[in-house]
Amino acid sequence: MINPYVPYLGRLADIQPLGTGIKLFKVQLEDQTVVREFTYRPGQFAFVSAFGVGEAPFGITSVSGIDDTVDFAINKVGT
Amino acid sequence: MNLITHAQLRDWLATMMADRTVIAPTRVIDGLVLYQPVNSPDAIAFDFTRTAISPKEFFLPATEAILTLERIGQMAAGGDGTGLKWNVKLSEPELEREQVLFGCRPCDVHALLALDALLLQDPVDAYYARRRERTTLIGLACEQMGPTCFCTSLGFTPDDQRGMDVMLYPVEGGYVLEALTEKGRMMADGLTMEPYAGERPQKAWPPAEFSVPPRLVWPQLFNDPYWGRLADRCLSCKLCAYVCPTCRCFDVRDYTVAQGPGYQKIERLRCWDSCMAEGYRRIAGGHNPRPTKAQRLRNRFYCKFDYYPADFGPLACVGCGRCIDYCPVNVDITEVLQAVAAKGEALATNATRLSP
């Protein structure tokens, strides 16, 4: 049984500023099987963890199967 | 079916306790019966209608560590001397011992069946699923309904056996025992018991005083001022969610439990949350779709009788009546259901009158 609460590990490949308080975080997933098999559709979101703080849902910005990284454009709001 | 005497039951429980955690109703103080792990059959209470809080904590604990994360920093090759490359190791909690939930009531097991509709559907909640799989449910049929019980309004009776692995019906001198599943048969295997050739001892219960209004009625009453009047006295104390066997919302947060140079150990905890909390639906940026008590209290009833059955099938209420017993301001779910039914009927009558 796959445990949906176990996150896929990845590394930040790049951070690009997009505007005031907005950044694009490009994540390179570590597990090659996941990189091949993890697909998603426009509008879906992922729970992204900041280890030690927690996890929160963020919409996925990149396009599945086209981009190498999984990207999140994040606005600095909330806690 | 078999007949098990009180003495035989005692022996059976003692055998179970040797290699499993047996959770059973215990009288904590006079008037307070709770499900707790027990070490001796003598600790078990048999004279109660239902426990103060539901046994859902043994399947969905109030607080549980769902992951342990260890962040280990290593000097990166070619780094500037202070640069560390962090690696993360994730580990899931150890599986617990096999459990037996002894003396569970039909309402609480119907609640597990309702939770199964959500938590065992894909993607399966691994922690709930493991506990559910490792627990044998030995049910105890009720002999009478409590003053706030209303399971009969929800389509089942206080001696319903659905969902149980083994069912016990109290009779003179002991219980009629019926093993209902493979798990139940294995648990009862080897027990010395007399066969029982009579009818299954199920009683004729009085007819339900009211029934749950159909799902179609609820959307029509969404903007009714009734919800505002009802919520005036609500304290948002969340006791209703705490004692409820079907409430299941939770929050997830990380806590650092150990830390040193190049090392951090984090526990990811989940704990019970409630839609009664003021900030339950608040999102980043500050917007809150349910800023008033009226909206939040309304959500409680809509979730149970409209949204949950629409999404998953069963109602998210089993008529146990605990919320009625413990609400400090006497918000009574049976009054709400009857008010909604009456308003629904009034709307239907008016519609008929107005149609050509």
Side-chain angles (χ1 to χ4, degrees):
Chain A
M1 175 203 325
I2 296 172
N3 184 343
Y5 297 99
V6 178
Y8 299 136
L9 296 176
R11 289 193 185 275
L12 264 184
D14 196 14
I15 306 175
Q16 293 171 9
L18 295 180
T20 312
I22 308 171
K23 288 183 184 167
L24 181 71
F25 294 85
K26 297 173 83 75
V27 177
Q28 179 66 248
L29 293 175
E30 291 204 319
D31 188 330
Q32 286 310 305
T33 316
V34 174
V35 173
R36 274 195 310 273
E37 296 181 355
F38 176 56
T39 59
Y40 47 95
R41 291 162 62 187
Q44 287 189 297
F45 60 86
F47 270 88
V48 182
S49 295
F51 293 133
V53 181
E55 56 174 20
F58 295 97
I60 306 175
T61 311
S62 50
V63 180
S64 182
I66 292 180
D67 298 322
D68 191 33
T69 55
V70 182
D71 301 349
F72 302 91
I74 301 179
N75 186 12
K76 189 179 177 183
V77 287
T79 52
Chain B
M1 288 187 281
N2 292 89
L3 193 66
I4 184 170
T5 64
H6 291 293
Q8 287 166 342
L9 179 63
R10 252 191 124 266
D11 291 339
W12 186 37
L13 286 163
T15 321
M16 271 183 234
M17 289 172 189
D19 57 358
R20 287 160 208 272
T21 306
V22 176
I23 299 151
T26 57
R27 179 154 279 105
V28 175
I29 56 169
D30 204 42
L32 184 65
V33 178
L34 296 173
Y35 286 107
Q36 291 188 325
V38 290
N39 289 317
S40 153
D42 296 321
I44 300 176
F46 287 87
D47 55 335
F48 67 104
T49 49
R50 41 104 178 105
T51 53
I53 64 177
S54 78
K56 80 179 172 200
E57 64 181 289
F58 300 103
F59 301 90
L60 200 60
T63 306
E64 77 176 310
I66 56 174
L67 284 177
T68 303
L69 303 145
E70 284 175 285
R71 294 181 75 228
I72 300 150
Q74 289 161 321
M75 298 298 267
D80 62 1
T82 58
L84 288 172
K85 185 183 181 198
W86 291 91
N87 285 308
V88 174
K89 205 178 84 158
L90 296 168
S91 46
E92 293 177 56
E94 289 292 307
L95 291 181
E96 289 162 20
R97 281 172 102 191
E98 293 275 329
Q99 292 186 142
V100 172
L101 182 62
F102 177 81
C104 45
R105 297 299 197 188
C107 52
D108 289 332
V109 172
H110 270 262
L112 289 177
L113 295 176
L115 289 176
D116 289 350
L118 162 66
L119 299 173
L120 296 185
Q121 74 155 227
D122 195 45
V124 170
D125 187 304
Y127 311 97
Y128 176 86
R130 285 172 198 157
R131 290 203 173 86
R132 200 68 176 91
E133 202 192 327
R134 301 188 125 239
T135 308
T136 306
L137 299 170
I138 302 177
L140 189 59
C142 297
E143 294 179 86
Q144 68 218 20
M145 289 174 75
T148 51
C149 291
F150 60 102
C151 62
T152 48
S153 292
L154 288 149
F156 63 98
T157 56
D159 49 17
D160 189 37
Q161 54 172 228
R162 275 174 289 180
M164 304 288 187
D165 292 307
V166 176
M167 190 66 177
L168 297 173
Y169 299 93
V171 291
E172 188 74 41
Y175 303 89
V176 169
L177 185 152
E178 197 173 350
L180 299 162
T181 62
E182 196 50 49
K183 210 193 265 184
R185 279 184 281 278
M186 276 171 50
M187 185 64 77
D189 190 39
L191 271 179
T192 327
M193 292 182 288
E194 292 296 310
Y196 180 82
E199 291 280 301
R200 183 180 296 128
Q202 284 183 305
K203 300 165 64 153
W205 299 92
E209 286 168 17
F210 67 94
S211 52
V212 172
R215 249 197 340 104
L216 302 168
V217 169
W218 296 82
Q220 298 171 63
L221 298 170
F222 195 74
N223 294 308
D224 199 291
Y226 174 78
W227 304 112
R229 287 197 304 274
L230 186 70
D232 270 342
R233 62 189 198 263
C234 175
L235 305 176
S236 303
C237 73
K238 312 178 209 81
L239 243 167
C240 49
Y242 188 76
V243 299
C244 177
T246 58
C247 280
R248 70 236 149 252
C249 288
F250 58 85
D251 189 16
V252 175
R253 300 204 187 180
D254 285 1
Y255 288 91
T256 301
V257 295
Q259 187 151 255
Y263 180 74
Q264 191 185 15
K265 186 173 181 188
I266 296 152
E267 274 191 344
R268 177 158 289 176
L269 302 181
R270 77 168 170 185
C271 66
W272 291 351
D273 197 354
S274 167
C275 60
M276 299 290 97
E278 201 246 324
Y280 175 82
R281 276 291 273 118
R282 189 183 299 121
I283 59 177
H287 176 62
N288 188 345
R290 293 189 203 126
T292 68
K293 274 192 307 174
Q295 291 165 310
R296 292 192 294 273
L297 189 56
R298 175 183 62 190
N299 179 75
R300 179 174 176 74
F301 299 106
Y302 276 72
C303 177
K304 289 181 173 307
F305 299 102
D306 186 6
Y307 310 153
Y308 196 88
D311 288 341
F312 308 108
L315 294 178
C317 174
V318 292
C320 74
R322 290 180 175 99
C323 56
I324 305 171
D325 282 352
Y326 294 107
C327 174
V329 294
N330 196 33
V331 171
D332 186 328
I333 195 169
T334 62
E335 284 180 12
V336 174
L337 288 171
Q338 289 170 92
V340 168
K343 285 172 187 290
E345 268 169 56
L347 282 174
T349 316
N350 288 338
T352 330
R353 219 184 286 136
L354 290 169
S355 61

